[in-house]
Amino acid sequence: MSDWPDGRSDRQSGGGRGGYGRGSGSARPEGARVMRQVQRGQVPPQQQPPAYDDGYGNSQGDGYDSGYNTGQVYGQPSRAGGGGGDGYGPPTSRPARTPNWRKRIKWTAITLVTVLVVTSVVTYFWADSKLNRDVDLSKVIDRPDAGDGTNYLIVGTDSREGMSAEEKKKLHTGSAEGKRTDTMMILHTGSNGDTLVSLPRDSNVTIPSFKGAESGKLYPNTGRQTKLNAAYAEDGPELLVRTVEYNTGLHIDHYAEIGFGGFAGIVDAVGGVEMNLKEGFKDKWSGADFKAGKQTLDGQQALAYVRTRHAFAASDLQRTKNQQAFLAALAHKVASPSTVMNPFRLYPTLGAGLDSLVVDKDMSLWNLGSMFMAMKSVSGGDGKSMNMPTAGSTGGNLLWDKAKVKQLVEQFNNDEKVTVTGN
């Protein structure tokens, strides 16, 4: 007589093959006898074990878990995100974050602005420290009142300072001692356009009373007549400014001077300057040898171009026109994006210019920049270039047209549109 409740069999008690959940008397492990196919996830219905009946009429059906039907290892927690929660699927990575483009653009812009500001500040102080502020306009006496706008006296000298014998030969400068000025221009900047006026070196002027730049000695006005470039040779920039102011009545606000070597160096640093020559010419004195048409002049050629006068019937008057045209083109090239936006060209150009440029003590980089931009506007057609109006000559000296000069100075002082014409 069995102690098991009615309806129980040996298979249900674990005594037969294929018993479930109650152990087995067989030496074979139960899993090897019943687990013909173990897979992860949901077991297909046809492979589900029969419902479990506890013998008391309580059928557990699908709720019974033998530990084999899903492949789950008891005691192993389910991994979040795993395949079906069985804990054996590959770990699911976190969703990729969407890039915050606004934030990236913001910080990129901040970085670029910071770099630009720092670079600009460093460049400013570097350039400012290289300016040779050697001319003291406070030594100029009896000066006329300043008018509207700004007046620059721009001077090109034949200074050979710092040049080797080979460079002097190459540039056809000769080896004369000291320095003289062959180029003198007044640049007026104002609200009614910019005007560049050349002062011929052979202009007849009166040397006024002046105070020696080095000695401080006062020299009285004796009425002596001479060429304009002699004033520079006699006592330098201060006497030249004094002479120009006395003979024109125009107040000079700033002074800028450059020598042979510095001029050629700037041209080479910007990669040359393109000029369109209406006719070719040669000059053994300056070394000029040009054909008509468009061509890019290097430093040596540019110096020969602006110095040539023997090849022209108008001599110095034609030379001043050539100087105006070239300096305006040079300023345009220096201020062009190809120079300003290229640090490998900008810094050599600034270095060459600033090393060789001599200015007055009150000249700032802002003033210097305004001067170059005004020269650029002249070359672009927004300004005017002319020679000082002349009225014949006496001997080898050119006489200025006093009535026209007076009118020109009045228009400068009142910052009016210039209507006066020159030669």
Side-chain angles (χ1 to χ4, degrees):
M1 182 175 179
S2 173
D3 294 333
W4 294 98
D6 293 340
R8 295 294 296 269
S9 66
D10 289 344
R11 182 175 179 270
Q12 291 172 316
S13 65
R17 296 181 62 188
Y20 290 91
R22 295 293 182 174
S24 173
S26 173
R28 254 180 102 187
E30 184 177 12
R33 287 180 278 117
V34 294
M35 293 181 62
R36 282 182 277 175
Q37 185 173 6
V38 178
Q39 61 181 13
R40 302 177 187 214
Q42 184 66 39
V43 180
Q46 64 268 22
Q47 297 181 11
Q48 290 286 352
Y52 173 70
D53 188 349
D54 61 3
Y56 295 95
N58 299 321
S59 177
Q60 296 181 0
D62 294 342
Y64 174 71
D65 186 357
S66 67
Y68 297 96
N69 58 341
T70 64
Q72 178 177 346
V73 178
Y74 290 102
Q76 179 69 30
S78 175
R79 298 179 186 177
D86 59 6
Y88 284 90
T92 304
S93 59
R94 295 180 179 177
R97 291 184 178 180
T98 303
N100 190 334
W101 290 110
R102 287 187 177 181
K103 189 174 183 180
R104 289 187 180 185
I105 293 173
K106 172 185 175 182
W107 282 108
T108 299
I110 291 174
T111 301
L112 290 175
V113 170
T114 301
V115 170
L116 180 61
V117 170
V118 171
T119 302
S120 300
V121 170
V122 171
T123 300
Y124 178 88
F125 284 104
W126 167 77
D128 189 71
S129 67
K130 293 178 74 68
L131 267 181
N132 301 305
R133 296 183 173 92
D134 298 335
V135 178
D136 189 357
L137 295 183
S138 67
K139 295 180 179 179
V140 180
I141 63 174
D142 300 332
R143 308 189 68 185
D145 294 334
D148 296 329
T150 304
N151 301 311
Y152 298 86
L153 181 60
I154 302 172
V155 174
T157 72
D158 63 0
S159 173
R160 301 157 179 84
E161 186 176 352
M163 296 174 62
S164 65
E166 183 179 352
E167 289 172 329
K168 292 176 184 178
K169 182 179 179 180
K170 177 182 176 182
L171 298 176
H172 297 269
T173 64
S175 299
E177 296 297 327
K179 58 181 181 179
R180 285 150 293 278
T181 177
D182 289 332
T183 305
M184 290 163 284
M185 301 178 181
I186 294 174
L187 174 65
H188 174 81
T189 64
S191 57
N192 282 291
D194 305 312
T195 304
L196 186 64
V197 182
S198 286
L199 310 177
R201 54 169 278 177
D202 296 336
S203 297
N204 189 79
V205 294
T206 299
I207 298 297
S209 58
F210 68 96
K211 182 186 292 186
E214 298 297 331
S215 66
K217 181 180 177 181
L218 184 64
Y219 296 88
N221 182 353
T222 61
R224 177 165 53 104
Q225 305 285 302
T226 186
K227 293 181 179 181
L228 180 60
N229 68 337
Y232 183 95
E234 186 173 334
D235 202 51
E238 288 84 2
L239 178 55
L240 178 61
V241 171
R242 169 72 176 133
T243 302
V244 169
E245 290 187 339
Y246 178 82
N247 286 269
T248 62
L250 183 70
H251 180 90
I252 299 299
D253 298 291
H254 293 292
Y255 177 93
E257 170 192 316
I258 192 168
F260 280 167
F263 177 80
I266 294 174
V267 175
D268 286 334
V270 297
V273 176
E274 186 179 273
M275 298 292 294
N276 188 8
L277 307 185
K278 293 182 179 180
E279 57 183 22
F281 58 87
K282 292 184 178 181
D283 181 13
K284 68 177 183 178
W285 302 101
S286 66
D289 186 2
F290 300 106
K291 295 180 180 180
K294 284 187 178 182
Q295 52 204 288
T296 299
L297 308 187
D298 61 19
Q300 177 183 351
Q301 295 169 320
L303 187 58
Y305 178 78
V306 300
R307 293 181 61 215
T308 298
R309 63 170 178 158
H310 298 287
F312 309 121
S315 188
D316 200 45
L317 289 177
Q318 181 59 46
R319 175 168 67 171
T320 57
K321 292 179 180 179
N322 290 346
Q323 290 170 348
Q324 289 175 350
F326 187 84
L327 290 178
L330 175 59
H332 183 83
K333 183 66 178 289
V334 170
S336 67
S338 63
T339 300
V340 176
M341 302 302 291
N342 184 353
F344 298 103
R345 179 168 288 177
L346 174 63
Y347 288 100
T349 301
L350 288 176
L354 295 172
D355 283 339
S356 55
L357 197 63
V358 177
V359 298
D360 64 273
K361 293 185 179 298
D362 295 326
M363 178 81 85
S364 67
L365 288 179
W366 177 263
N367 298 137
L368 194 60
S370 297
M371 184 184 80
F372 275 104
M373 294 306 294
M375 293 182 68
K376 180 185 175 184
S377 75
V378 170
S379 70
D382 295 330
K384 181 177 182 177
S385 60
M386 57 182 286
N387 278 327
M388 183 66 84
T390 59
S393 63
T394 173
N397 297 358
L398 291 171
L399 297 174
W400 289 352
D401 186 323
K402 293 184 178 180
K404 284 189 174 182
V405 170
K406 181 179 180 180
Q407 183 182 3
L408 177 65
V409 171
E410 288 178 350
Q411 290 176 344
F412 279 171
N413 284 334
N414 296 324
D415 198 19
E416 299 171 350
K417 183 177 177 62
V418 173
T419 59
V420 177
T421 58
N423 300 83

